[in-house]
Amino acid sequence: MFERFSKAARNAVRDGVQIAERDRAARVEAEHLLLGILAQDRTPGTDILVRHAVTTAAAREAIDAARRRGGLSTADAEALTGLGIDVDAVVAAVEHSHGEGALAAAGRRGRPFGWRVPLSAECKRVLQRCLVEVVERGENTIGDEHLLLAILRTGGTAADVLTGFGVTYEVVRDSLTRA
């Protein structure tokens, strides 16, 4: 499948894997692919993200905040707040008892020398969804913009982070149609 990926998309995936390795993550997640896209320069995907003020630092901060909540999305946290549950207070209580980042720590691990970080099931779904996005758009090559569409369509933490910046599936699709 990677033979259909453009150079920018291959680089984004490669950089995402390297970011996961540097983070000592248990698996390569969609969030790492998002950070890998942001590591590229002047690509269709990064151009859309730049227009919405999505920077590597801002995305990393939002990802870290979601991980600190144990991966709970902003929408889920708001829904719980509507039910009278203060998610920040729950996170603070857990961290008080078990240490800072206790809810996020489960995804970290050591890595034996030379062992590659495996792709998570969600990350695999994103990569598979890229092909669907290309076919639906009547295109042949998978670019980083298709990675972005696939991340948004698949859902999860990375999609939630992007939505927080106003980057939705429809916004990206419309931007690509106008381009």
Side-chain angles (χ1 to χ4, degrees):
M1 176 169 79
F2 282 107
E3 65 275 359
R4 293 187 73 171
F5 278 58
S6 69
K7 183 178 179 182
R10 282 193 308 271
N11 289 342
V13 172
R14 179 205 62 212
D15 291 349
V17 169
Q18 290 174 348
I19 290 166
E21 289 173 348
R22 277 195 307 268
D23 287 353
R24 299 181 55 79
R27 291 170 302 284
V28 179
E29 301 288 351
E31 302 92 75
H32 298 115
L33 294 180
L34 172 58
L35 295 170
I37 293 169
L38 285 164
Q40 307 314 303
D41 189 33
R42 309 255 337 141
T43 66
T46 58
D47 288 347
I48 292 167
L49 295 173
V50 165
R51 282 196 300 272
H52 288 87
V54 182
T55 64
T56 300
R60 175 69 83 169
E61 184 178 322
I63 290 166
D64 289 346
R67 286 182 180 159
R68 184 173 168 259
R69 292 188 306 265
L72 193 64
S73 74
T74 304
D76 290 341
E78 289 172 0
L80 289 170
T81 299
L83 296 172
I85 300 170
D86 184 351
V87 174
D88 291 332
V90 171
V91 170
V94 169
E95 288 182 339
H96 178 74
S97 296
H98 301 286
E100 187 174 328
L103 294 173
R108 306 244 185 244
R109 53 112 177 106
R111 181 173 51 90
F113 179 75
W115 188 74
R116 300 298 295 204
V117 178
L119 301 177
S120 69
E122 178 187 32
C123 188
K124 289 177 186 177
R125 284 192 302 275
V126 168
L127 294 174
Q128 292 166 347
R129 181 71 200 180
C130 289
L131 185 58
V132 174
E133 294 299 332
V134 167
V135 170
E136 285 181 357
R137 295 183 55 77
E139 299 169 349
N140 293 319
T141 304
I142 297 170
D144 70 331
E145 68 274 22
H146 301 105
L147 274 171
L148 198 53
L149 286 167
I151 288 169
L152 289 161
R153 185 59 74 96
T154 303
T157 301
D160 185 53
V161 165
L162 288 169
T163 302
F165 287 100
V167 180
T168 64
Y169 181 84
E170 293 75 21
V171 166
V172 174
R173 190 188 63 217
D174 293 346
S175 293
L176 294 173
T177 301
R178 285 191 307 260

